[in-house]
Amino acid sequence: MSVRVFAPAKINLTLEVGRPRADGYHPLQSAVVFASEGDWIEAQAADALTLAITGPFAAGLQADENNLVLRAARLLDPMRGAALKLEKNLPIASGIGGGSSDAAATLLALNELWAIGLPLEDLSRLAAKLGADVPVCLHKRSAWMSGAGETVAPMRTPALHGVLVNPGKPLATPAVYRRFDELALGGMFQPRGARDWARADDVVAAVALCGNDLEAPAVSLMPELGDVLQTLRADPRALCAALSGSGATCFALTQMGEDARAMAETLAARNRDWWVRAATFGAA
Protein backbone atom coordinates (compact mmCIF):
# COMPACT_ATOMS: atom_id res chain seq x y z
CA MET A 1 0.00 0.00 0.00
CA SER A 2 1.17 3.54 -0.72
CA VAL A 3 -0.29 6.98 -0.08
CA ARG A 4 0.53 10.09 -2.16
CA VAL A 5 -0.24 13.59 -0.82
CA PHE A 6 0.19 16.98 -2.49
CA ALA A 7 2.19 19.64 -0.60
CA PRO A 8 1.17 22.98 -2.16
CA ALA A 9 3.16 26.19 -2.04
CA LYS A 10 1.94 28.64 0.61
CA ILE A 11 1.67 32.21 -0.65
CA ASN A 12 1.52 35.28 1.60
CA LEU A 13 -0.71 37.67 -0.33
CA THR A 14 -0.14 40.29 2.38
CA LEU A 15 2.29 40.36 5.28
CA GLU A 16 2.47 42.96 8.03
CA VAL A 17 5.26 42.61 10.59
CA GLY A 18 5.84 44.46 13.86
CA ARG A 19 8.91 45.01 16.00
CA PRO A 20 10.02 42.00 18.09
CA ARG A 21 8.05 41.17 21.21
CA ALA A 22 9.66 40.51 24.59
CA ASP A 23 9.99 36.83 23.67
CA GLY A 24 11.92 37.71 20.51
CA TYR A 25 9.17 36.75 18.07
CA HIS A 26 7.78 39.26 15.59
CA PRO A 27 4.03 39.88 15.66
CA LEU A 28 2.49 39.56 12.23
CA GLN A 29 -0.71 39.30 10.30
CA SER A 30 -0.93 37.75 6.89
CA ALA A 31 -3.44 36.55 4.32
CA VAL A 32 -2.35 33.13 3.10
CA VAL A 33 -3.48 31.12 0.08
CA PHE A 34 -2.25 27.88 -1.44
CA ALA A 35 -1.06 27.39 -5.00
CA SER A 36 -1.54 24.74 -7.65
CA GLU A 37 2.27 24.32 -7.70
CA GLY A 38 3.89 22.20 -5.02
CA ASP A 39 5.82 19.15 -3.87
CA TRP A 40 4.58 15.59 -3.43
CA ILE A 41 4.99 13.17 -0.54
CA GLU A 42 4.59 9.46 -1.13
CA ALA A 43 4.57 6.97 1.75
CA GLN A 44 4.80 3.23 1.30
CA ALA A 45 4.69 0.47 3.91
CA ALA A 46 8.16 -0.63 5.06
CA ASP A 47 9.88 -2.00 8.15
CA ALA A 48 12.28 0.95 8.53
CA LEU A 49 11.81 4.67 8.12
CA THR A 50 13.66 5.97 5.06
CA LEU A 51 13.50 9.06 2.88
CA ALA A 52 14.38 9.41 -0.80
CA ILE A 53 14.38 12.88 -2.37
CA THR A 54 13.76 13.39 -6.09
CA GLY A 55 12.73 16.30 -8.29
CA PRO A 56 14.44 19.40 -9.70
CA PHE A 57 15.42 20.78 -6.27
CA ALA A 58 16.44 17.49 -4.62
CA ALA A 59 20.13 18.40 -4.60
CA GLY A 60 19.58 21.16 -2.06
CA LEU A 61 18.21 18.86 0.64
CA GLN A 62 19.66 16.18 2.88
CA ALA A 63 17.69 13.09 3.95
CA ASP A 64 18.90 13.36 7.54
CA GLU A 65 17.18 13.74 10.89
CA ASN A 66 16.98 17.52 10.48
CA ASN A 67 14.72 17.10 7.46
CA LEU A 68 11.18 18.18 8.35
CA VAL A 69 9.71 15.16 6.55
CA LEU A 70 11.54 12.71 8.81
CA ARG A 71 10.89 14.86 11.87
CA ALA A 72 7.17 14.78 11.10
CA ALA A 73 7.22 10.99 10.75
CA ARG A 74 9.08 10.55 14.05
CA LEU A 75 6.68 12.91 15.77
CA LEU A 76 3.63 10.98 14.60
CA ASP A 77 5.05 7.60 15.66
CA PRO A 78 8.78 7.08 16.38
CA MET A 79 8.47 3.29 16.32
CA ARG A 80 6.99 2.71 12.87
CA GLY A 81 8.65 2.43 9.49
CA ALA A 82 7.76 3.71 6.04
CA ALA A 83 9.51 4.32 2.76
CA LEU A 84 9.01 8.03 2.16
CA LYS A 85 9.65 9.83 -1.11
CA LEU A 86 9.74 13.61 -1.42
CA GLU A 87 9.35 14.97 -4.94
CA LYS A 88 10.89 18.42 -4.51
CA ASN A 89 9.45 20.74 -7.16
CA LEU A 90 9.58 24.01 -5.19
CA PRO A 91 12.73 26.10 -4.73
CA ILE A 92 14.37 25.78 -1.31
CA ALA A 93 14.41 28.70 1.17
CA SER A 94 12.05 30.57 -1.11
CA GLY A 95 9.33 32.05 1.13
CA ILE A 96 6.53 29.75 -0.02
CA GLY A 97 6.46 27.29 2.88
CA GLY A 98 7.90 24.30 1.05
CA GLY A 99 9.39 22.58 4.09
CA SER A 100 6.32 23.25 6.23
CA SER A 101 3.99 21.98 3.51
CA ASP A 102 6.14 18.85 3.08
CA ALA A 103 5.93 18.18 6.82
CA ALA A 104 2.16 18.64 6.81
CA ALA A 105 1.76 16.30 3.82
CA THR A 106 3.89 13.71 5.63
CA LEU A 107 1.60 13.79 8.65
CA LEU A 108 -1.44 13.34 6.41
CA ALA A 109 0.14 10.53 4.40
CA LEU A 110 1.35 8.54 7.41
CA ASN A 111 -1.84 9.11 9.36
CA GLU A 112 -3.57 7.25 6.52
CA LEU A 113 -0.84 4.68 5.78
CA TRP A 114 -0.47 3.68 9.42
CA ALA A 115 -4.27 3.77 9.93
CA ILE A 116 -3.88 6.01 12.97
CA GLY A 117 -7.01 7.96 12.17
CA LEU A 118 -6.22 11.18 14.02
CA PRO A 119 -8.63 14.02 13.18
CA LEU A 120 -7.21 17.22 11.71
CA GLU A 121 -7.50 19.01 15.05
CA ASP A 122 -5.17 16.51 16.71
CA LEU A 123 -2.80 16.52 13.76
CA SER A 124 -2.71 20.33 13.96
CA ARG A 125 -1.52 20.21 17.56
CA LEU A 126 1.30 17.90 16.51
CA ALA A 127 2.07 20.03 13.47
CA ALA A 128 2.59 23.12 15.65
CA LYS A 129 5.59 21.39 17.24
CA LEU A 130 7.31 21.34 13.85
CA GLY A 131 6.86 25.04 13.06
CA ALA A 132 4.37 27.88 13.05
CA ASP A 133 3.50 27.38 9.37
CA VAL A 134 2.89 23.63 9.49
CA PRO A 135 -0.69 23.70 10.90
CA VAL A 136 -1.96 26.06 8.21
CA CYS A 137 -0.30 23.89 5.55
CA LEU A 138 -2.08 20.87 7.00
CA HIS A 139 -5.48 22.34 6.13
CA LYS A 140 -4.39 23.72 2.72
CA ARG A 141 -7.09 26.38 2.87
CA SER A 142 -7.00 30.15 2.64
CA ALA A 143 -6.32 31.55 6.10
CA TRP A 144 -5.59 34.65 8.16
CA MET A 145 -2.47 34.19 10.29
CA SER A 146 -1.74 36.40 13.30
CA GLY A 147 0.17 36.42 16.57
CA ALA A 148 3.62 35.15 15.64
CA GLY A 149 1.98 33.02 12.97
CA GLU A 150 0.52 30.47 15.35
CA THR A 151 -3.04 31.86 15.33
CA VAL A 152 -4.89 30.74 12.21
CA ALA A 153 -8.45 31.56 11.15
CA PRO A 154 -10.18 30.47 7.93
CA MET A 155 -10.98 33.17 5.42
CA ARG A 156 -12.70 33.44 2.08
CA THR A 157 -10.73 34.14 -1.06
CA PRO A 158 -11.80 33.84 -4.68
CA ALA A 159 -10.02 31.67 -7.24
CA LEU A 160 -7.02 33.66 -8.46
CA HIS A 161 -4.68 33.39 -11.42
CA GLY A 162 -1.07 34.45 -11.50
CA VAL A 163 2.60 33.61 -11.77
CA LEU A 164 5.28 32.60 -9.28
CA VAL A 165 8.83 33.81 -9.89
CA ASN A 166 12.02 32.99 -8.01
CA PRO A 167 15.37 34.46 -9.09
CA GLY A 168 17.07 31.09 -8.61
CA LYS A 169 18.76 31.79 -5.28
CA PRO A 170 17.82 30.84 -1.70
CA LEU A 171 17.13 33.50 0.90
CA ALA A 172 17.22 32.49 4.56
CA THR A 173 14.31 33.73 6.67
CA PRO A 174 16.39 34.53 9.81
CA ALA A 175 18.67 36.78 7.76
CA VAL A 176 15.71 38.75 6.41
CA TYR A 177 14.26 39.29 9.88
CA ARG A 178 17.68 40.39 11.18
CA ARG A 179 17.93 42.97 8.41
CA PHE A 180 14.32 44.01 9.12
CA ASP A 181 15.36 44.77 12.72
CA GLU A 182 18.61 46.46 11.65
CA LEU A 183 16.61 48.79 9.42
CA ALA A 184 14.22 49.49 12.33
CA LEU A 185 11.24 48.77 10.11
CA GLY A 186 9.06 47.17 12.75
CA GLY A 187 6.21 49.37 13.85
CA MET A 188 2.68 49.10 15.12
CA PHE A 189 -0.04 47.80 12.85
CA GLN A 190 -3.76 47.76 13.44
CA PRO A 191 -4.74 44.18 14.36
CA ARG A 192 -7.54 42.89 12.16
CA GLY A 193 -9.56 39.73 11.95
CA ALA A 194 -9.77 37.38 8.98
CA ARG A 195 -10.50 39.12 5.70
CA ASP A 196 -13.53 38.26 3.58
CA TRP A 197 -12.58 38.62 -0.06
CA ALA A 198 -15.32 37.64 -2.49
CA ARG A 199 -13.75 39.13 -5.63
CA ALA A 200 -10.29 39.26 -7.15
CA ASP A 201 -10.53 43.07 -7.02
CA ASP A 202 -10.67 42.85 -3.21
CA VAL A 203 -7.40 40.90 -3.17
CA VAL A 204 -5.65 43.23 -5.60
CA ALA A 205 -6.65 46.26 -3.50
CA ALA A 206 -5.36 44.60 -0.32
CA VAL A 207 -2.03 43.65 -1.90
CA ALA A 208 -1.60 47.22 -3.13
CA LEU A 209 -2.49 48.65 0.30
CA CYS A 210 -0.66 46.29 2.64
CA GLY A 211 2.05 44.67 0.54
CA ASN A 212 4.79 42.81 2.38
CA ASP A 213 6.77 44.48 5.17
CA LEU A 214 9.71 42.14 4.50
CA GLU A 215 10.19 43.35 0.93
CA ALA A 216 12.70 46.11 1.77
CA PRO A 217 15.04 43.94 3.91
CA ALA A 218 14.79 41.06 1.43
CA VAL A 219 15.69 43.33 -1.50
CA SER A 220 18.60 44.82 0.46
CA LEU A 221 20.00 41.32 0.94
CA MET A 222 19.24 40.18 -2.61
CA PRO A 223 19.09 43.11 -5.05
CA GLU A 224 17.95 40.77 -7.84
CA LEU A 225 14.57 40.71 -6.10
CA GLY A 226 14.13 44.35 -6.96
CA ASP A 227 14.61 43.47 -10.63
CA VAL A 228 12.05 40.66 -10.38
CA LEU A 229 9.45 42.86 -8.73
CA GLN A 230 10.06 45.72 -11.14
CA THR A 231 9.65 43.35 -14.09
CA LEU A 232 6.41 41.93 -12.73
CA ARG A 233 4.93 45.32 -11.88
CA ALA A 234 5.79 46.69 -15.31
CA ASP A 235 3.95 43.92 -17.13
CA PRO A 236 0.51 45.17 -18.25
CA ARG A 237 -0.97 41.73 -17.58
CA ALA A 238 -0.12 41.99 -13.85
CA LEU A 239 -2.87 43.41 -11.63
CA CYS A 240 -0.44 43.55 -8.71
CA ALA A 241 2.83 41.96 -7.61
CA ALA A 242 4.54 41.36 -4.28
CA LEU A 243 7.00 39.24 -2.35
CA SER A 244 5.77 36.07 -0.63
CA GLY A 245 6.94 35.54 2.94
CA SER A 246 10.60 36.40 3.44
CA GLY A 247 11.39 35.65 -0.21
CA ALA A 248 12.87 35.05 -2.57
CA THR A 249 9.71 34.01 -4.45
CA CYS A 250 7.50 36.77 -5.81
CA PHE A 251 4.01 36.56 -7.29
CA ALA A 252 1.87 38.54 -9.68
CA LEU A 253 -1.89 38.22 -10.05
CA THR A 254 -3.56 38.35 -13.47
CA GLN A 255 -7.11 38.70 -14.70
CA MET A 256 -7.27 35.35 -16.51
CA GLY A 257 -5.43 32.05 -16.61
CA GLU A 258 -4.44 32.75 -20.21
CA ASP A 259 -2.72 35.94 -19.08
CA ALA A 260 -0.79 34.06 -16.41
CA ARG A 261 0.37 31.38 -18.83
CA ALA A 262 1.45 33.92 -21.44
CA MET A 263 3.22 36.01 -18.83
CA ALA A 264 5.04 32.98 -17.44
CA GLU A 265 6.16 31.94 -20.91
CA THR A 266 7.54 35.41 -21.62
CA LEU A 267 9.34 35.68 -18.28
CA ALA A 268 10.90 32.23 -18.55
CA ALA A 269 12.14 32.87 -22.08
CA ARG A 270 13.78 36.16 -21.13
CA ASN A 271 15.21 35.06 -17.76
CA ARG A 272 16.70 31.58 -18.03
CA ASP A 273 17.95 31.54 -14.44
CA TRP A 274 14.53 32.30 -12.95
CA TRP A 275 12.08 29.66 -11.75
CA VAL A 276 8.76 30.69 -13.29
CA ARG A 277 5.38 29.00 -13.02
CA ALA A 278 1.83 29.96 -13.94
CA ALA A 279 -0.48 28.96 -11.10
CA THR A 280 -3.88 29.26 -9.50
CA PHE A 281 -4.38 30.34 -5.89
CA GLY A 282 -7.06 30.29 -3.22
CA ALA A 283 -10.61 28.99 -3.22
CA ALA A 284 -9.30 25.71 -1.76
Side-chain angles (χ1 to χ4, degrees):
M1 177 185 177
S2 66
V3 178
R4 186 170 163 87
V5 177
F6 184 52
K10 177 184 69 66
I11 310 302
N12 298 89
L13 292 175
T14 65
L15 178 57
E16 297 171 89
V17 182
R19 62 174 61 93
R21 306 181 311 200
D23 61 6
Y25 289 98
H26 292 77
L28 60 85
Q29 55 188 11
S30 177
V32 168
V33 293
F34 289 88
S36 55
E37 291 292 316
D39 299 332
W40 285 91
I41 289 288
E42 185 174 351
Q44 192 167 9
D47 293 332
L49 183 64
T50 60
L51 172 61
I53 306 176
T54 64
F57 293 97
L61 291 177
Q62 297 294 321
D64 57 25
E65 292 304 315
N66 291 321
N67 190 289
L68 272 172
V69 169
L70 287 175
R71 287 175 57 195
R74 298 288 188 202
L75 182 63
L76 188 60
D77 191 328
M79 305 304 295
R80 297 201 201 191
L84 298 171
K85 180 190 290 185
L86 166 60
E87 182 184 310
K88 193 63 185 171
N89 300 315
L90 299 176
I92 296 164
S94 59
I96 50 179
S100 295
S101 195
D102 295 342
T106 301
L107 292 175
L108 292 169
L110 292 178
N111 190 48
E112 181 178 345
L113 180 72
W114 290 340
I116 296 175
L118 288 178
L120 273 178
E121 291 74 14
D122 292 344
L123 284 177
S124 292
R125 283 190 283 272
L126 284 176
K129 298 179 181 180
L130 296 167
D133 281 351
V134 184
V136 72
C137 291
L138 195 71
H139 292 268
K140 307 181 192 180
R141 297 187 64 86
S142 301
W144 182 256
M145 302 181 68
S146 57
E150 77 283 358
T151 303
V152 178
M155 63 176 289
R156 178 171 63 157
T157 58
L160 302 165
H161 302 282
V163 296
L164 296 172
V165 180
N166 184 284
K169 296 181 179 180
L171 185 58
T173 297
V176 176
Y177 273 98
R178 282 195 298 270
R179 182 58 58 89
F180 178 83
D181 293 337
E182 290 167 1
L183 296 174
L185 294 176
M188 299 296 293
F189 54 74
Q190 181 64 40
R192 294 188 294 272
R195 308 290 82 194
D196 183 17
W197 293 333
R199 302 173 303 139
D201 288 349
D202 298 331
V203 180
V204 172
V207 173
L209 177 66
C210 297
N212 183 332
D213 288 346
L214 296 182
E215 179 181 320
V219 170
S220 74
L221 291 171
M222 186 182 289
E224 299 98 312
L225 275 178
D227 298 333
V228 173
L229 288 166
Q230 183 177 12
T231 298
L232 293 177
R233 290 165 178 163
D235 194 303
R237 291 164 294 199
L239 302 175
C240 63
L243 183 74
S244 178
S246 59
T249 303
C250 304
F251 68 90
L253 299 181
T254 62
Q255 189 72 44
M256 305 291 292
E258 292 84 351
D259 297 329
R261 289 187 289 273
M263 188 174 173
E265 183 176 341
T266 301
L267 290 169
R270 293 178 179 174
N271 305 276
R272 297 292 185 179
D273 293 334
W274 292 3
W275 177 83
V276 183
R277 296 289 186 274
T280 56
F281 315 96

